[in-house]
Amino acid sequence: MKDVAARAGVGLKTVSRVVNGEPGVTPDTERRVQEAIDALGFRRNDSARVLRKGRTASIGLVLEDLADPFYGPLSRAVEEVARAHGALLINGSSAEDPDREQELVLALCARRVDGLVVIPAGDDHRYLEPELRAGVATVFVDRPAGRIDADVVLSDNFGGARDGVAHLIAHGHRRIGFIGDQPRIHTAAERLRGYRAAMADAGLPVHDSWVWLGSTAPERVRSAAESTLSGPEPVTAIFAGNNRVTVTVVRVLADLADADRPVALVGFDDFELADLLRPGVTVIAQDAAQLGRTAAERLFHRLDGAHASPERIELPTRLVARGSGELPPAG
């Protein structure tokens, strides 16, 4: 900074103001300082800045799976909000493993991130209590925290699933299967609850052979779909609990040899090319980008000094009818 100040013919405080974007510098002086910075290749020492301000201008984002297309727009939205606040985003994947989630979260805290946006894999987040007391702002997204009070931003998983199943019922279906994710996952449990509520509202029974929860691995989903479509009371429609399940069910339905028995399908989460299939896949769409944006804005609200009680924010879903959910039952 001394070299920059000498080259530009200004004081150290003026260089500091320019580097940190502070007011009180004339445009001509700012130009001379910036030219000196460019000529000398000066870079701000962020480590020293952390020691002085106690902030790193960085936040962490812990996702379930970086390869899942649902998390792409969510991550991008968090990054855009962070950038608008002059912060760097560092992200990582828990791979749906609670131990890995904890390890990753604490590693980010050890690197002194100012705050965290977490899509939780586990259901006990008391390990975060020391970090929260130390001032690490944390917002959970997509699923709530377990056993601690913290801000959370969710989609209306229950209402969206209930609407999707009610849509199938409105098109004449009475035997509707549900294929979802692991039952311990909040979103899977809420979507199953929405399915059961819609069936109960219509006075329809739910047979155990129609409900399948577990891994979203294609072989498991294929087995579940084939089971619901066979036996003495095969379903005429399927509600798929997330985008990965929906894609596998689409493949199973494409393999059906019995063209005289079309099976209706509604999936939770939109996915790429869903509108180009024939018929297009009807989905319950949630706004992943809005989830990420809302969570990040809430985080920076906390970092700016907000001390209100933890808040639960629930965003609406919408039904996108494309054809597969509007197929009537055969016969």
Side-chain angles (χ1 to χ4, degrees), residues 70 74 141 153-155 286-295 315:
F70 172 75
L74 188 153
V141 64
V153 182
L154 307 166
S155 291
Q286 52 179 334
D287 192 337
Q290 187 60 32
L291 278 171
R293 189 176 304 112
T294 304
L315 303 181

Side-chain angles (χ1 to χ4, degrees), residues 126-187:
R126 288 176 295 176
Y127 70 84
L128 258 174
E129 288 177 339
E131 311 301 334
L132 296 174
R133 287 195 296 268
V136 180
T138 303
V139 177
F140 289 80
V141 64
D142 193 43
R143 309 164 188 172
R147 306 185 73 175
I148 63 170
D149 291 326
D151 290 314
V152 60
V153 182
L154 307 166
S155 291
D156 182 9
N157 293 284
F158 169 79
R162 182 180 57 189
D163 291 345
V165 176
H167 186 73
L168 291 168
I169 293 170
H171 284 82
H173 295 277
R174 299 295 178 265
R175 301 196 304 274
I176 302 171
F178 178 92
I179 304 175
D181 208 332
Q182 304 278 2
R184 64 177 176 80
I185 298 174
H186 170 81
T187 50

Side-chain angles (χ1 to χ4, degrees), residues 37-56:
I37 287 172
D38 293 341
L40 295 171
F42 171 81
R43 295 292 182 271
R44 183 176 63 193
N45 186 328
D46 282 338
S47 295
R49 186 167 178 260
V50 168
L51 291 174
R52 181 166 59 87
K53 291 192 171 184
R55 294 275 290 270
T56 63

Side-chain angles (χ1 to χ4, degrees), residues 211-287:
V211 177
W212 295 81
L213 297 174
S215 162
T216 57
E219 57 274 14
R220 199 283 303 184
V221 175
R222 175 173 287 275
S223 175
E226 290 172 348
S227 295
T228 64
L229 295 168
S230 61
E233 290 187 295
V235 300
T236 63
I238 293 175
F239 185 84
N242 66 29
N243 54 1
R244 285 168 290 182
V245 173
T246 305
V247 168
T248 299
V249 172
V250 166
R251 291 194 171 107
V252 171
L253 297 182
D255 292 341
L256 279 179
D258 187 1
D260 294 331
R261 204 192 87 187
V263 177
L265 171 65
V266 174
F268 204 110
D269 292 338
D270 209 350
F271 61 97
E272 194 172 3
L273 304 182
D275 57 327
L276 297 183
L277 297 170
R278 291 293 177 267
V281 180
T282 297
V283 298
I284 300 297
Q286 52 179 334
D287 192 337

Side-chain angles (χ1 to χ4, degrees), residues 70-86:
F70 172 75
Y71 294 120
L74 188 153
S75 177
R76 177 65 179 271
V78 174
E79 184 175 26
E80 288 174 351
V81 174
R83 185 180 180 190
H85 285 81

